[in-house]
Amino acid sequence: MLAQERWSQLWQQFGVARPAAELFAELQGHYAEPWRAYHTAEHIGECLGHFDPVRGLCQRPAEVEMAIWFHDAIYDPRRSDNEERSAEWALAALAAAGVAMPVRHRVYALIMATAHDAPPQTVDEQFIVDIDLAIFGQPPARFDQYEAQIRQEYRWVPELVFHSRRVELLRTFLARERIYSTDYFYTRLESAARENLNRSLARMVT
């Protein structure tokens, strides 16, 4: 379950005394969609847990937190534009609440950074990307659970096709000089992440 009190307090940081009640209900409904296994409210809760220790290191922490809440709001594993659609929803919600345009556009950019198709440009983009990838550096049992959850979300994909695409993705991350851009996450999770990804890769190619 998403924490409505935290959600309401976040909006107050944007000068919005009372966010629309139906927005939270709609968001919660999306994260509870039956085809989701990993991209659920649990994932948002884990991301917020990773965010809290680095809040003071972010340039605009409220914007990073808002982007976390929305970054997987739209999720259809059969589509490739989920981040864009999630970002557009956040943009519209912030506009409807009267939040200033520069703020709205920064939140939009933060969500788009979680598509992981380009290096994050700003400090806050680096943090939200690292937070989203923090699952890679979790203890093996949680990482293995995550892997199973991803497979469940893509259960409609034939095994050979899924393995081929997953191997390509894992190799892409392992080929990076650093998986984590920020020193905070690099020092804490980089080694464990590489161990998990290499272990997963070994299972798929043998």
Side-chain angles (χ1 to χ4, degrees):
M1 293 289 289
L2 300 175
Q4 187 167 7
E5 182 178 355
R6 177 166 184 161
W7 168 258
S8 298
Q9 291 174 351
L10 173 61
W11 281 90
Q12 292 172 17
Q13 297 177 56
F14 291 86
V16 181
R18 188 172 300 173
E22 61 270 19
L23 179 61
F24 179 81
E26 188 177 0
L27 195 68
Q28 189 164 253
H30 275 265
Y31 282 115
E33 289 165 339
W35 55 86
R36 298 180 185 236
Y38 174 68
H39 295 88
T40 64
E42 180 185 19
H43 172 54
I44 301 306
E46 288 178 332
C47 285
L48 291 172
H50 294 303
F51 163 72
D52 286 338
V54 301
R55 177 189 298 271
L57 301 176
C58 296
Q59 294 177 328
R60 298 179 175 88
E63 294 175 11
V64 175
E65 182 172 352
M66 185 66 75
I68 288 172
W69 280 88
F70 273 101
H71 81 283
D72 284 324
I74 304 296
Y75 181 72
D76 180 349
R78 297 175 185 268
R79 297 185 58 147
S80 61
D81 61 349
N82 292 309
E83 288 81 13
E84 183 178 359
R85 294 164 70 207
S86 297
E88 288 173 352
W89 186 11
L91 200 66
L94 290 164
V99 176
M101 184 179 294
V103 176
R104 304 197 308 257
H105 283 236
R106 285 194 296 267
V107 172
Y108 181 97
L110 288 167
I111 295 171
M112 291 302 297
T114 66
H116 307 291
D117 55 5
Q121 298 301 307
T122 68
V123 170
D124 286 349
E125 287 180 12
Q126 289 176 350
F127 272 113
I128 195 170
V129 167
D130 283 1
I131 287 166
D132 196 34
L133 297 179
I135 187 65
F136 287 172
Q138 297 311 295
R142 176 63 186 112
F143 177 81
D144 290 347
Q145 182 187 43
Y146 149 76
E147 290 262 278
Q149 290 169 335
I150 293 296
R151 184 65 185 105
Q152 184 178 345
E153 289 183 341
Y154 285 88
R155 54 189 172 274
W156 48 275
V157 178
E159 194 73 13
L160 288 176
V161 175
F162 178 82
H163 273 210
S164 175
R165 292 176 180 174
R166 194 69 181 169
V167 165
E168 182 180 357
L169 178 68
L170 296 176
R171 284 175 171 163
T172 298
F173 279 110
L174 285 167
R176 294 182 179 183
E177 183 177 351
R178 290 172 60 139
I179 294 172
Y180 299 104
S181 299
T182 64
D183 290 341
Y184 179 92
F185 285 100
Y186 179 81
T187 58
R188 289 163 174 79
L189 299 180
E190 184 81 13
S191 178
R194 290 190 177 276
E195 288 179 9
N196 280 329
L197 296 180
N198 276 309
R199 184 166 52 84
S200 177
L201 187 61
R203 283 198 301 255
M204 292 187 178
V205 298
T206 56

